[in-house]
Amino acid sequence: MPSPIRAGAVGLFVAASIVLGSLDPVHAAEDPSAPTETTGARGAAVAGTSDDLAAHAQALVARMDTAERAASVVMGHLPTADPVVLEQYMRETGIGGFILMGANIPASEGELRAVTSALQVDPELPPLIGIDQEGGDVSRLPWDDNASARTLKNAPVADAGTAFAARAALVARAGATVNFGVVADVADDPSMFIYPRALGTTPQSAADHVGAAVRGEAGLVLSTAKHFPGHGAAPGDSHQGIPTTSLTRAEWETRDGAPFRAAIDAGVPLVMLGHLAYTDVDTAPASLSSAWHDILRDDLRFTGVAITDDLGMLQASGIAAYDDPVANAVSALAAGNDMVLSVMFTTADTAPAMVAGITAAVEEGTLSSERLEEAATRVMALRLSTAAQGDTLMPCAECTAIP
């Protein structure tokens, strides 16, 4: 079926992959001179090579002060569907992203377009608008009746690509630009928390279905693989504690690492770090572990944006060390995340508090300015990729159908 989205969105996935790859000279894309074009912030067009795009992202971040950089790496949330309130929230906080949850989803698609349009306070530099649209057990869009992991895990691999292409079209049409929808966990036990949402029951099956899902979403929305390094090996619900496993690094390589390698090989632009402890690698949860970020960057050669799972889940764990959401955000950035996500326990004051805390951490030397700059630049590059041709994936009344 046709996907009614803006024609300019076709290059979104390619542009994101090229720009993010060229930001890191160690893990550069194979063809750093591949031509592409986008329109950056304030209408400054950048056309030509991926190096041009990367330089534009770096130049924009270089002009930011510390507080602006701090704001740009926060993805916030406010539980309302009131466009006026949401526009004011985004304008006043200046944060780089917003995640849509159930409270943000009105009864109709048209009303949802008004919500996402309100979040786009600067169309020339749009925020990343995320949504957990996995389908099935985790579905924010009531009108998404495409196949989910419950059936896809046992279906032909091509079906995963078809389902996620259709799902991505719905997400894009709603005005979101990032789908936290590809569950790259390996789960073979139906009693496990993550089993209904996992796309495979074996490493190979999960890898094949995850790769197909990422390719299916390409060109429509920015796809995300989660929950790195894998929820399947760590029993329990990370919304209520820190699931822990003694699985060795070598065992992880052949089991839970496989779907994430497949996602990265397919060009996934974001990876979400889970609040999961693999004690053979690090006793800290992966979301706060520099060791797991090193594995993600150096071994899996991921060049995109690393984002935390909801930091409120750390607070919900009941572990005293994670009681302070601002300290959790600083620790997550220091460990290697490029963007921090906050939903549980979030109020209108949460994002500003995180921005102030991150800024103070840089000024006090707790978080290096270089680390914040690196994170802000990666996020900036991704935001610029959604503004290709001077346009975003904001919904439109007259959209071009792409067969």
Side-chain angles (χ1 to χ4, degrees), residues 337-366:
N337 289 282
D338 302 308
M339 201 163 208
V340 292
L341 169 64
S342 180
V343 180
M344 292 177 70
F345 313 116
T346 294
T347 69
D349 297 326
T350 302
M354 285 187 171
V355 172
I358 294 166
T359 302
V362 172
E363 293 171 348
E364 295 165 3
T366 308

Side-chain angles (χ1 to χ4, degrees), residues 222-278:
L222 296 166
S223 191
T224 308
K226 64 183 187 183
H227 310 81
F228 185 82
H231 209 317
D237 181 352
S238 57
H239 295 83
Q240 302 172 355
I242 307 297
T244 301
T245 178
S246 59
L247 194 76
T248 67
R249 166 70 189 280
E251 291 170 327
W252 175 83
E253 287 282 356
T254 59
R255 178 185 150 87
D256 296 82
F260 290 98
R261 287 188 183 276
I264 292 166
D265 288 346
V268 72
L270 296 98
V271 168
M272 178 178 283
L273 279 288
H275 307 309
L276 313 163
Y278 280 65

